[in-house]
Amino acid sequence: MHADAASRVRTVQAAGGRRLEVLVSGPESALPLVFHNGTPAGLVAFEPMLAAAADRGLRTVMYARPGYGASTPSPGRSVADAAGDVAAVLDDLSAGEFVTAGWSGGGPHALACAALLPGRCRGVASIAGVAPPTADGLDWTADMADENITEFGAAMAGEAELVAFLTAEAAELRDVTADQVVAGLGDLASDVDKAVITGEFAGYLAAAFRASVAAGIDGWRDDDWPSSATGGSRSTSRCRSPSGRATRT
């Protein structure tokens, strides 16, 4: 986590006595923007985003999904469970209404919050988000990179195979640097995408990847696994980027 974000971190109690690690930035009286990171990603702030939100009168709220960072794992959680966790966070902040956004694997979590908290959510955006794999008429793996198809296959093969796959992947991410991010994405990003993964943004992505596996793979596993087992909407790292190629994050 960025050192300058440390003072904004708090712990919130969620259902079942679980802990959620939460980062808050911006004016206390402002409308909360609940932002859902991709998969895998730890609780790392991208300072330009926080500043842009504050300039627009928004208070950014982010939380580590169960199993990431200091958030208590919740094996078998679904995408829909994000709504209850977000409600707990907002209640702790004495906040009522909010807007929400999520990118990549965070997109479904943002949509779940809008669907299940209709009296509080004033708007939602899913940015290069993940579609339900069982949606009618959708060829879910079309145009995905080989890396994503391999991870998807591991998840569908069962939890043991997924855990083995993610354990190996986590070893690659644990010490990843900003200079290594682009090379490590392989076919997961197009040349257009890679061209903007530089400087502070590359540093942010590297830090988010490192933080995602610092406490193990529970969060990543539980983003990938439960919905593949139930046939519901998955929260995985597979998505289509604006350039039409699959990306992880």
Side-chain angles (χ1 to χ4, degrees):
M1 183 174 301
H2 292 193
D4 56 0
S7 63
R8 297 190 289 266
V9 175
R10 60 199 292 157
T11 299
V12 172
Q13 293 296 314
R18 293 180 294 109
R19 302 186 313 277
L20 294 175
E21 185 181 18
V22 180
L23 186 150
V24 183
S25 174
E28 291 189 9
S29 60
L31 179 70
L33 163 63
V34 179
F35 183 76
H36 302 264
N37 266 328
T39 299
L43 189 62
V44 175
F46 184 44
E47 297 298 334
M49 185 188 79
L50 302 185
D55 288 345
R56 290 159 178 77
L58 296 171
R59 185 185 192 191
T60 302
V61 178
M62 301 168 61
Y63 75 102
R65 287 193 289 274
Y68 288 111
S71 292
T72 309
S74 182
R77 62 178 166 85
S78 69
V79 172
D81 292 338
D85 285 349
V86 166
V89 171
L90 294 173
D91 289 346
D92 185 75
L93 296 173
S94 298
E97 294 184 325
F98 69 104
V99 293
T100 187
W103 74 327
S104 191
H109 294 88
L111 294 175
C113 291
L116 298 176
L117 300 173
R120 301 178 76 168
C121 185
R122 291 171 51 179
V124 58
S126 177
I127 306 158
V130 186
T134 57
D136 291 342
L138 175 67
D139 183 352
W140 197 65
T141 59
D143 296 327
M144 282 188 183
D146 289 342
E147 293 91 340
N148 275 344
I149 293 174
T150 299
E151 184 176 343
F152 171 69
M156 295 301 293
E159 186 173 10
E161 186 161 337
L162 176 63
V163 166
F165 174 83
L166 296 182
T167 298
E169 290 289 296
E172 298 290 328
L173 294 183
R174 195 159 286 117
D175 299 309
V176 69
T177 67
D179 292 337
Q180 295 170 335
V181 167
V182 169
L185 286 173
D187 289 334
L188 288 164
S190 70
D191 290 340
V192 173
D193 296 322
K194 291 176 181 178
V196 299
I197 303 176
T198 60
E200 188 173 6
F201 185 53
Y204 154 71
L205 288 178
F209 283 142
R210 292 194 301 269
S212 73
V213 296
I217 64 165
D218 286 353
W220 193 356
R221 176 203 63 202
D222 294 339
D223 270 0
D224 276 7
W225 165 246
S227 296
S228 68
T230 63
S233 176
R234 291 169 53 82
S235 163
T236 68
S237 56
R238 288 153 291 276
C239 70
R240 291 182 187 172
S241 70
S243 62
R245 297 289 295 280
T247 61
R248 169 181 294 167
T249 52

